[in-house]
Amino acid sequence: MSTLALAFLSGIPALVYQVVWIREIALLAGSQIEAISVVLVAFFGGLAVGARAFGGFVDRFSTPLRIYGFLEVGAGLLAALSFLLLRWLGSSAFATASPGALLALAAAILFPVTFLLGGTAPALLRTAVRELSGAARGAGAIVGANTAGSVLGVGSAVLLIPWIGLRATLLGASLVAAAIGLSALAMARGTIRPALAPSPLPVTSPRLALVAAAVAGVATLAYEVLAARMAALQLGSSLYAWGAVLALVLVGLAAGNLALGPRAARSSRPLSDLGWIEIAAAVALGVGLLAIAPPIAMPAVRFTGSALLRVALGVLPAAFLMGGAFPFFVRLGAQNTNLGSAYGSVSAANTAGGIVGAMIAPFLLLPILGLGGGTLVCAGLNAALGLAFLVRAETGRGRIAKLAGATAALVVAAVAGTWPVRSGTPLQVIHVEHGRQASAAVLAQGNRRDLIVDGDPEASTLGEALVTEELLALLPLLLHPAPRSFFEVGLGSGITLGMAARFPLERVDCAEIARSVIGSVRFFAPENGNIHDGHDPRVEIIHADGRAYLLSHPGEYDVIVGNTLHPWSLGATGLYSREYFRRLRTALKPGGVAVQWLPFADIGATNFAAIIRTFYSVFPQGSVWWGATNLMLVGSDTPGLQVDDARFESLRGQTGDLLRRLRVETARDFNARRMASAESARAAVGPGLILSDDLPVLEVRGTQQPGESGNGSELALLERLAETGAQEPGIGEGMRFWIQSLRARKLGDVGRAEQLEREAEAEGFAEGRRLRAYRTVAQAGLLRESGQLPRAEREYRRALEEDPEQAEALYGLAAVHLQRNRSGAADSTLERLVHLHPKHAEGWSLLGLLRSRTGDLAGARRAFARALDANPYFSAALGNAGLLAVEAGDRSAARDLLDRLRAISPLGTTTEERALLKALGRAGKS
């Protein structure tokens, strides 16, 4: 077996260790990005120190291959031990430890493994290279082969972890490492280290090599972190997507080392060559942004071949060039026969720079400059290196021309990298924040504001998303007979927390790990009760990992709500596992109630059943309730929880208009949403997989089984669940009819679906009427947009027959009246709308516009003011109010409104801003 084969094989277990460690530490920290940062720091820190420490040692040892063998075996044994130690850190013994302390301890556990791995490359290089002039070629080949093996390691880890678990995957990699090391020891018998022949190539500066290697390491690792975030916005945040991006980076680095190593060895002008490589890397980063940087608010397209190709085009060229620079650093640094020591120094400098890059990317570049700005900083580092090398290398008449050409290329890259950001949506982006855990954006259009986190829609002020967030608080607070404390895992828009704060509670807490999400909450006022401004002393938003927080607060809460990631998101297994649900139960007081939100679309019946089975393997009692196109799993130690009449009536005033929107009048109507008990749920899903932290199958199956997700199999399971529940005393047939209607509609049998909806209504479940009105309004909106006003009007009136108080139907009808020049009809319809729904910002704004057209300027001002009370971020109302202020001669008020418009326009000037600026300009000239 050759040294190149050993280098390739050695890369496989090393990257398996890294992937498993990231998953384990993410369970400790609650954040994938912090886990990646800790692992990269420990990994590259150990490699750097190990390369430096063992580099000189192998120069003095007669059989460096034996050193390699012992290091590989030792690293494998310590890696196996590291898993046990990391699990110990996650136990209750460390429940009170701070997140920083846990991460520091985790890094200390990993360091000995990576320290030993750091010595393997110098040992292999010293074994293989016989002439100093071949050092660069040998280093490129060995590092390239090792990195190529790392690609296989990533693929092996991503494929094996969901099926055999984290523990078995790591232990298997440890055994592979031990076998590789023992093979090397057997090969080393009788071998003697060859003497190095001096190099005939010109001497350059070793110190320059160290500085350049460190700066390049900063750019490379920072870009790897940023590319992973950008790719997640393109591919989704599944385990497969993350693994694919890491593999692409490694493929590029490996190919660059292998391809450019021979050139580095034979070049007579290594400084000039390296300068152009760094310039090309900077250009590749800038141009690559056009391919990989997604529109800031576009939901991820999930893991598809075309999306993966786009990411590959953005990542591979830059990674290839960054990898290709490393053999040149070795060429510049290896100036004497102490090759192991020289290589160790260069490698240590490069990996030390990588540590800095891995730290500044999530903690500095992302929050301050965003994804594009952070990537351009990496390009700038490469550009600075390239220009410095060219200045040092080039002389004579061609020097100015070459530097001018390099500068022109960098300008092109900078222009490409700073190309205007697209929102990816017709909705206005009013807020963007990049945090180390997530990138959050708030989109707005009229009454509607949506929260997008890492490309995934998380919350909204309209539709079923709004109902879901409100019900998450309302359901457990109605079920619990006397709640005093409430806790939410995951903040979202804050609407759930705001609903809870309406109730007579003593304590209302929420743990949210992403500061970018916390910073977005203010844009969902007043719907969330302005919980961000600190006016309610009972409410506390805690910047922390919900999992870790639950472990350290046993028996503290009456109600706990899980408003967590979608099941297929990266890291979601830790929020749907048996271990997590046990923490939920432990944090409850006796008689407490836990509620877990559970979508059933796009996850597949297998995953759907596994989550229900896992939840009710932990909670002995509870029930399944219909939410809003999703389920809500209720867990408790109290059997038969229902909403009683007295509690329902006493708390009706705290529910706002939610009950009216749900068409719920009595406790009986509310209880009609109950589908099954915990016992019936266990019977319906049957025996099978129990989700655990060790087996993150959810994050893979969400991308693996799109066929299952799209064929209605989840609805078949739901139907079985409803049929089982309907056999219980106290649960009627309404829910069974409702689920059957959903399945009929999914299969295209609309007539059968509507018949079943009405049968469900006869049994007391009126969800069908509400959703029929929504569907009719959506169809009417499409007709109005296409100019088919008579047909749109008929559809709006049909929706109002289903639900006479449907806000969007009233608004749409008023808009049609205006388009058909029926000002009186529009006025009366809008008056009815704002009377029934006084927080309907679009209704108030349209009424203000109508009043201004008829000359009632005072009425228009009042209407615009009411619109902005309902939605302070409504651009149309801000713009129209500003124009009205200009017309009234109040330029100061108009400028204030212009400033508010600018504050919610992070991506550039809007139509409303331009109109108001133009009006102010005319007023200033008159």
Side-chain angles (χ1 to χ4, degrees), residues 477 482-487 500-509 536-540 556-559 589 647:
L477 290 171
R484 298 170 63 186
S485 53
F486 176 96
F487 180 75
R502 295 180 182 182
F503 286 74
L505 299 167
E506 298 174 1
R507 183 180 179 187
V508 183
D509 295 341
D536 189 338
R538 301 171 304 150
V539 176
E540 184 177 8
E556 287 200 15
Y557 294 97
D558 295 307
V559 169
K589 295 179 181 178
R647 181 160 180 78

Side-chain angles (χ1 to χ4, degrees), residues 198-216:
S199 173
L201 297 172
V203 174
T204 53
S205 170
R207 183 174 299 176
L208 177 65
L210 298 181
V211 173
V215 174

Side-chain angles (χ1 to χ4, degrees), residues 105-160:
L105 288 170
I109 289 170
L110 309 187
F111 184 84
V113 184
T114 60
F115 173 74
L116 295 183
L117 289 176
T120 57
L124 288 176
L125 182 65
R126 191 62 188 86
T127 300
V129 174
R130 296 178 180 275
E131 296 181 355
L132 192 58
S133 59
R137 181 188 298 107
I142 286 172
V143 173
N146 186 258
T147 309
S150 299
V151 176
L152 185 56
V154 171
S156 301
V158 169
L159 291 173
L160 289 173

Side-chain angles (χ1 to χ4, degrees), residues 153-219:
V154 171
S156 301
V158 169
L159 291 173
L160 289 173
I161 286 171
W163 307 116
I164 66 175
L166 294 166
R167 179 189 291 108
T169 300
L170 188 75
L171 292 178
S174 300
L175 291 174
V176 169
I180 296 169
L182 292 173
S183 299
L185 290 173
M187 290 170 55
R189 291 176 183 171
T191 63
I192 301 296
R193 179 196 67 188
L196 278 179
S199 173
L201 297 172
V203 174
T204 53
S205 170
R207 183 174 299 176
L208 177 65
L210 298 181
V211 173
V215 174
V218 174

Side-chain angles (χ1 to χ4, degrees), residues 448-745:
R448 175 181 174 183
R449 273 153 287 143
D450 294 345
L451 176 65
I452 308 294
V453 180
D454 279 351
D456 293 331
E458 294 291 338
S460 179
T461 58
L462 278 184
E464 301 303 272
L466 173 63
V467 174
T468 295
E469 291 225 38
E470 293 173 318
L471 271 177
L472 273 172
L474 179 60
L475 174 60
L477 290 171
L478 288 178
L479 289 175
H480 195 289
R484 298 170 63 186
S485 53
F486 176 96
F487 180 75
E488 181 184 10
V489 181
L491 180 59
S493 64
I495 290 174
T496 298
L497 203 64
M499 172 64 82
R502 295 180 182 182
F503 286 74
L505 299 167
E506 298 174 1
R507 183 180 179 187
V508 183
D509 295 341
C510 174
E512 170 57 55
I513 194 167
R515 284 200 183 276
S516 56
V517 172
I518 296 174
S520 302
V521 167
R522 61 191 173 95
F523 294 94
F524 292 89
E527 287 87 347
N528 61 17
N530 299 287
I531 57 168
H532 62 285
D533 64 10
H535 71 280
D536 189 338
R538 301 171 304 150
V539 176
E540 184 177 8
I541 299 173
I542 305 155
H543 178 231
D545 169 40
R547 261 182 69 109
Y549 186 90
L550 289 170
L551 182 64
S552 59
H553 292 76
E556 287 200 15
Y557 294 97
D558 295 307
V559 169
I560 298 178
V561 168
N563 188 5
T564 48
L565 296 169
H566 197 287
W568 47 254
S569 297
L570 184 63
T573 291
L575 295 171
Y576 292 91
S577 66
R578 176 175 50 198
E579 292 88 345
Y580 168 69
F581 292 141
R582 283 173 176 166
R583 293 189 183 190
L584 280 183
R585 185 179 177 187
T586 301
L588 286 172
K589 295 179 181 178
V593 176
V595 174
Q596 174 63 51
W597 164 79
L598 177 58
F600 57 83
D602 298 324
I603 65 173
T606 305
N607 292 337
F608 188 41
I611 295 171
I612 295 174
R613 186 183 302 114
T614 303
F615 187 85
Y616 289 114
S617 73
V618 172
F619 288 97
Q621 304 293 335
S623 48
V624 181
W625 293 69
W626 179 257
T629 64
N630 48 51
L631 296 188
M632 295 188 181
L633 307 182
V634 174
S636 181
D637 56 11
T638 304
L641 287 175
Q642 292 192 61
V643 181
D644 63 67
D645 292 330
R647 181 160 180 78
F648 182 84
E649 292 302 325
S650 69
L651 295 175
R652 180 192 288 273
Q654 277 78 44
T655 62
D657 65 347
L658 173 60
L659 297 179
R660 184 176 68 183
R661 285 185 278 118
L662 288 176
R663 305 183 68 83
V664 169
E665 297 293 335
T666 66
R668 180 179 179 274
D669 294 339
F670 194 88
N671 286 323
R673 307 181 78 86
R674 189 163 64 104
M675 184 180 295
S677 67
E679 183 178 357
S680 292
R682 284 190 285 265
V685 300
L689 174 67
I690 299 293
L691 300 173
S692 69
D693 288 347
D694 193 61
L695 208 64
V697 297
L698 288 183
E699 303 158 44
V700 176
R701 288 179 175 172
T703 54
Q704 263 191 332
Q705 300 175 332
E708 182 187 1
S709 298
N711 64 11
S713 59
E714 305 101 329
L715 289 173
L717 176 58
L718 261 183
E719 187 174 354
R720 187 162 71 246
L721 184 63
E723 288 173 351
T724 306
Q727 300 172 20
E728 299 179 36
I731 297 182
E733 295 284 331
M735 189 57 65
R736 181 170 68 86
F737 291 143
W738 169 246
I739 300 302
Q740 289 176 344
S741 77
L742 293 178
R743 195 172 186 203
R745 192 174 293 277

